[in-house]
Amino acid sequence: MAAQKINEGLEHLAKAEKYLKTGFLKWKPDYDSAASEYGKAAVAFKNAKQFEQAKDACLREAVAHENNRALFHAAKSVSSGNLYSLCRAYEQAGMMLKEMQKLPEAVQLIEKASMMYLENGTPDTAAMALERAGKLIENVDPEKAVQLYQQTANVFENEERLRQAVELLGKASRLLVRGRRFDEAALSIQKEKNIYKEIENYPTCYKKTIAQVLVHLHRNDYVAAERCVRESYSIPGFNGSEDCAALEQLLEGYDQQDQDQVSEVCNSPLFKYMDNDYAKLGLSLVVPGGGIKKKSPATPQAKPDGAAGTAAEEEEDEYSGGLC
């Protein structure tokens, strides 16, 4: 079966090369037909699990589409279908590299394809390609994945598809927290919260406030954490919610360096059943000062008059009979 598919792929390559040849009666290569044959060859090689040959065929298809596109431009007319096929060829080449475990190279080609999808006026397809690239690289290069998720969110936001945008921002925020890039995470979560507020998803705003507070406390910035809660009072329903009460208790315990109180809040179901990255932040939160509670100022207690008098009387009794 594999050998049959490989032979099929080679036949399509031969046909493509034939379309590219010029001669006395054929002055211009037929790039469109060649691209089609390269595409068919790529599918055949992919089915035979010959990913290197499939990738090469996809790239040759892309080059043929590029050359065809140049001819269209020269004629002042460009086909959107041709441009879409070009994007698709680069994306498929990237997916072949993924099968070969060459993830950075795969992401590079898919990213190139997504930019072309945008140029072609298909932002949805561009966003899906970027998100796919982010998933591919997430475990290898989280920093690049964050960048790709943020790019995807921007594409969706420009299309006013806020729910999709905020979902991608959430992925970026969690990766930033996982990498302990807390300054960037705080900004990313704030952007999430703003969008959830805009689409009037207030309960999720409360959860994002908890995430923000945990991130700020891990940054050792109690003032920012407190301000976060204070600003959230303007969100409908937050004041008086269990989220608000828990955060006030958490901040009080942190400020008083009461590790027991902080741990009790962070081990509550409200915190433990958050996204795993934020739940871990709660469980690992340590108050400053090593958990030694702040002492409340105590006024020195004066001895009762009676006690002072008794001591004086005992001293007097000791010598009352004289030294002899």
Side-chain angles (χ1 to χ4, degrees):
M1 179 66 179
Q4 183 185 341
K5 288 294 177 184
I6 290 170
N7 287 332
E8 186 182 324
L10 292 172
E11 286 174 15
H12 286 300
L13 287 182
K15 286 181 182 177
E17 295 301 323
K18 191 174 178 182
Y19 280 123
L20 292 176
K21 285 181 180 176
T22 56
F24 182 68
L25 297 175
K26 184 187 171 191
W27 293 357
K28 292 179 182 178
D30 185 350
Y31 292 118
D32 196 29
S33 297
S36 176
E37 291 299 329
Y38 282 132
K40 290 173 184 175
V43 171
F45 288 132
K46 179 185 175 185
N47 290 337
K49 298 194 181 302
Q50 300 299 306
F51 299 118
E52 180 74 43
Q53 288 173 284
K55 180 262 297 180
D56 289 341
C58 286
L59 289 175
R60 288 190 194 182
E61 181 191 356
V63 170
H65 281 305
E66 285 274 21
N67 290 330
N68 200 33
R69 187 180 173 207
L71 287 177
F72 273 120
H73 272 301
K76 304 296 181 188
S77 169
V78 62
S79 160
S80 61
N82 179 266
L83 184 52
Y84 184 86
S85 298
L86 168 61
C87 307
R88 184 73 180 158
Y90 276 121
E91 186 181 359
Q92 286 303 305
M95 296 311 290
M96 293 308 103
L97 284 165
K98 172 232 174 186
E99 295 293 342
M100 296 157 64
Q101 296 302 308
K102 295 183 177 180
L103 298 182
E105 296 93 330
V107 166
Q108 193 175 2
L109 280 181
I110 295 171
E111 201 172 0
K112 181 175 182 176
S114 71
M115 295 303 106
M116 289 182 167
Y117 281 131
L118 282 175
E119 185 184 338
N120 189 43
T122 52
D124 283 1
T125 314
M128 285 189 286
L130 284 170
E131 184 180 2
R132 196 176 296 121
K135 286 177 182 175
L136 286 183
I137 204 73
E138 191 173 297
N139 294 325
V140 178
D141 187 351
E143 190 171 341
K144 180 64 177 176
V146 167
Q147 180 195 329
L148 290 165
Y149 289 145
Q150 289 173 337
Q151 280 180 262
T152 312
N154 287 337
V155 172
F156 280 131
E157 199 171 354
N158 289 337
E159 294 300 305
E160 297 184 355
R161 295 179 59 180
L162 297 183
R163 283 178 173 80
Q164 286 89 342
V166 79
E167 184 183 335
L168 271 297
L169 281 174
K171 289 185 177 185
S173 299
R174 290 190 291 276
L175 277 180
L176 289 167
V177 166
R178 209 173 300 164
R180 304 192 74 78
R181 293 160 62 186
F182 292 132
D183 290 352
E184 294 167 82
L187 294 173
S188 184
I189 296 168
Q190 181 61 50
K191 190 165 185 181
E192 283 185 76
K193 190 171 160 184
N194 291 342
I195 293 178
Y196 279 119
K197 193 173 178 181
E198 189 176 341
I199 62 178
E200 298 183 355
N201 186 341
Y202 300 128
T204 305
C205 287
Y206 310 161
K207 299 293 178 274
K208 294 302 167 186
T209 304
I210 293 176
Q212 273 184 306
V213 167
L214 288 171
V215 166
H216 284 311
L217 292 180
H218 273 273
R219 294 174 61 236
N220 298 314
D221 193 342
Y222 175 83
V223 173
E226 189 181 38
R227 183 173 63 246
C228 214
V229 174
R230 196 167 58 246
E231 288 173 352
S232 295
Y233 288 139
S234 63
I235 300 171
F238 177 74
N239 195 6
S241 67
E242 70 167 327
D243 305 76
C244 178
L247 284 172
E248 287 172 347
Q249 191 181 353
L250 175 65
L251 289 175
E252 179 188 51
Y254 190 90
D255 187 44
Q256 294 299 318
Q257 299 178 0
D258 186 341
Q259 185 66 52
D260 290 341
Q261 183 169 326
V262 166
S263 296
E264 185 183 343
V265 175
C266 291
N267 276 286
S268 67
L270 185 64
F271 280 64
K272 282 176 74 175
Y273 297 125
M274 291 181 70
D275 285 322
N276 198 37
D277 293 297
Y278 299 122
K280 285 181 179 178
L281 283 188
L283 294 173
S284 62
L285 185 61
V286 177
V287 300
I292 301 169
K293 294 183 188 178
K294 286 183 182 177
K295 292 180 180 178
S296 53
T299 53
Q301 291 183 343
K303 289 183 179 179
D305 292 339
T310 305
E313 285 169 11
E314 285 176 1
E315 186 177 339
E316 188 179 335
D317 287 344
E318 189 178 348
Y319 301 107
S320 59
L323 290 174
C324 300

